[in-house]
Amino acid sequence: MYTRKNQRDLTRTEKKRFVSALLALKRSGRYDEFVTLHGQYYVTDDEEGPRASHMTPSFFPWHRRFVLEFERALRAVDPGVSVPYWDWTKDNSPASSLWAEDFLGGTGRAGDGKVMTGAFAHANGNWNIRARVGDGSFLTRNLGRPSDPVSLPTRQEVAKALSDPLYDAAPWNSTVAKGFRNTMEGWGRGGAVTTFHHNRVHRWVGGVMLGATSPNDPVFWLHHAFMDLLWDRWRRAHPRSGYLPRRKLPGSDPQHGRVFSLHEPMPPWNVTPAQLLDHSRVYRYA
Amino acid sequence: MGMIAGTAGALAPILGKRAGAAPGAADGPAAGTAKAPGAEPERYAERFAETYRGRHIQGTARGTRPARAAARRAGAGDAMTVAAVRDVEVRIDGRPLHVMRRADGSYLSLVNHYESFPTLLDAARAAVDELGDAQLSLSPLHRL
């Protein structure tokens, strides 16, 4: 049993150890395997095949397992390390200590968005990006997107999402108009340019955090640890609710074979959402 | 692939009734039984080529949507399945940009997976906005 702390509460030593473990995973090639995996599993709800990670009820359990696997890899490097979480409702500015030189480094410069400060700045030679969208191999960010500002979700917006006792609903994709899962994942509807919550945080950070290979930015893990904590809060707030769909969808359902019900094993780990509901024997949040 | 100079134009929707009206229109859906007006699959196409913020962007999308999809897109979020687009291509300065569609018919691109856009042109322009000075990678993430 270990603890995931709010990133703002980390000591200088804890930050240093976390960053060192990240750099060690990167050097070994293990880090990029996680980046590639995330890209491979990002399929949209317009596609016919199984959809485990996004635009789907298993968005929460899939990412819980994904962050947990990553954390295991980190702890194999340094058993004293865990993934901190970033509460973006509180630490909602580029001036937050999260973005300081001694932790994740700051925003990118104008033009190419290149991050110039901190351990992940390209000039240091220890953070080359391989699975990428643009032709540059450097980490990019555009915190808050000043040219066309994006704001981080507020505490009120999160509270509203948490107040919904329904976990998810048909059609179990990005077009669901109700339920905690899709509200929190943050898809607007009808091709609207509006996004919320989880998606909006990716947009606020910008750069590589916008792509399918978003784990290229280490803040990905801190963002998803907070999403994971919010799922816990939702479950505590609604003890009589639970993960949906509970049962495998019938063959007549358009989403049959595409989404994962409570007891259907998810790739690539072959683990069911039900097996991921309770993490209290593995980690806790402080 | 024929290039269209000048301003972009979405050529959508082209209704199934007018099959062949668009050059190179996508293969029609399997013949279904038309019941009522609006019960036929709807064809759509989009094609553009333009210079946007100094970058050349071009794209085509062709496919079919099930009957009443358009109405449902604006509707109450009931189940809908959109036929996969068989033919979507976007290029920025000649380099291919991987594009995916959501169930509501909107598009997202490899550059921006956390936001979607009503048209392919919007998705292409948004990708340019995000790329800044960068060119698309010639060896992007390969999907299995």
Side-chain angles (χ1 to χ4, degrees):
Chain A
M1 237 297 272
Y2 56 89
T3 301
R4 289 183 183 172
K5 291 170 75 171
N6 188 325
Q7 59 81 26
R8 60 155 50 183
D9 299 327
L10 296 181
T11 64
R12 193 177 308 186
T13 306
E14 285 170 328
K15 287 180 190 179
K16 195 175 279 186
R17 284 176 73 173
F18 178 67
V19 169
S20 298
L22 285 169
L23 298 180
L25 275 195
K26 183 74 176 173
R27 272 195 305 276
S28 71
R30 187 86 179 87
Y31 191 95
D32 286 2
E33 290 174 15
F34 286 97
V35 178
T36 305
L37 182 75
H38 190 265
Q40 283 167 348
Y41 277 88
Y42 202 123
V43 299
T44 60
D45 50 11
D46 184 48
E47 296 178 41
E48 287 299 317
R51 197 171 68 247
S53 66
H54 300 87
M55 305 185 184
T56 187
S58 53
F59 168 77
F60 280 102
W62 193 92
H63 280 87
R64 170 164 289 176
R65 181 62 184 229
F66 186 55
V67 176
L68 192 53
E69 289 286 326
F70 179 74
E71 193 167 49
R72 279 179 189 158
L74 274 182
R75 291 169 60 79
V77 172
D78 180 349
V81 166
S82 60
V83 175
Y85 65 91
W86 170 32
D87 179 347
W88 23 254
T89 67
K90 289 199 187 86
D91 295 309
N92 58 1
S93 128
S96 156
S97 61
L98 172 67
W99 308 110
E101 190 113 21
D102 68 347
F103 200 16
L104 299 191
T107 194
R109 68 183 179 188
D112 59 6
K114 192 181 206 173
V115 169
M116 303 303 287
T117 54
F120 308 100
H122 195 250
N124 296 327
N126 44 27
W127 204 258
N128 282 330
I129 284 177
R130 281 209 287 271
R132 59 187 189 251
V133 176
D135 59 353
S137 60
F138 45 85
L139 178 63
T140 54
R141 285 180 193 140
N142 189 12
L143 303 182
R145 205 169 70 178
S147 64
D148 183 9
V150 180
S151 60
L152 285 165
T154 64
R155 206 179 327 186
Q156 292 77 8
E157 286 170 328
V158 169
K160 191 164 181 278
L162 285 170
S163 71
D164 190 341
L166 181 71
Y167 178 74
D168 206 349
W172 315 109
N173 63 11
S174 74
T175 70
V176 188
K178 56 191 172 182
F180 168 70
R181 191 276 309 171
N182 196 35
T183 306
M184 216 52 231
E185 191 179 351
W187 290 108
R189 294 175 52 248
V193 181
T194 352
T195 55
F196 314 97
H197 301 99
H198 155 265
N199 284 348
R200 185 167 275 263
V201 175
H202 280 269
R203 291 183 54 214
W204 186 88
V205 177
V208 302
M209 266 290 273
L210 283 176
T213 53
S214 46
N216 271 316
D217 190 330
V219 80
F220 174 93
W221 309 104
L222 285 75
H223 172 30
H224 272 279
F226 187 54
M227 291 295 295
D228 189 73
L229 167 57
L230 292 176
W231 186 28
D232 277 357
R233 286 183 188 163
W234 178 85
R235 292 186 66 234
R236 276 200 299 276
H238 307 283
R240 304 167 71 90
S241 301
Y243 183 89
L244 294 171
R246 279 190 66 78
R247 288 189 181 75
K248 196 177 169 121
L249 298 175
S252 59
D253 194 300
Q255 294 292 325
H256 171 82
R258 295 166 76 187
V259 305
F260 295 83
S261 63
L262 187 59
H263 298 291
E264 289 181 273
M266 301 179 294
W269 313 287
N270 225 14
V271 172
T272 67
Q275 290 170 290
L276 289 160
L277 298 178
D278 181 13
H279 58 77
S280 64
R281 285 190 305 192
V282 185
Y283 62 89
R284 58 182 276 274
Y285 285 101
Chain B
M1 185 188 125
M3 292 242 308
I4 301 171
T7 49
L11 315 173
I14 297 156
L15 295 180
K17 272 237 191 315
R18 295 170 52 211
D27 293 341
T33 47
K35 295 181 195 77
E40 275 192 44
E42 161 201 23
R43 287 204 185 165
Y44 65 90
E46 189 184 346
R47 181 183 295 182
F48 59 86
E50 68 171 32
T51 301
Y52 175 72
R53 299 181 72 179
R55 317 279 296 253
H56 181 70
I57 57 175
Q58 61 190 91
T60 50
R62 285 192 290 266
T64 53
R65 286 191 195 108
R68 297 205 185 89
R72 280 204 298 263
R73 265 199 314 287
D78 54 345
M80 57 170 293
T81 318
V82 180
V85 183
R86 285 178 211 77
D87 186 4
V88 170
E89 185 186 56
V90 174
R91 287 179 178 267
I92 298 177
D93 291 338
R95 294 189 177 188
L97 171 70
H98 182 72
V99 174
M100 299 162 114
R101 237 164 46 121
R102 276 177 63 197
D104 63 3
S106 62
Y107 294 95
L108 42 87
S109 81
L110 196 63
V111 174
N112 192 344
H113 261 52
Y114 299 94
E115 186 176 2
S116 66
F117 303 90
T119 69
L120 199 60
L121 176 61
D122 293 324
R125 286 177 175 171
V128 168
D129 291 343
E130 292 303 338
L131 280 168
D133 295 343
Q135 288 288 3
L136 285 168
S137 170
L138 280 170
S139 52
L141 178 80
H142 289 293
R143 305 170 54 86
L144 290 181

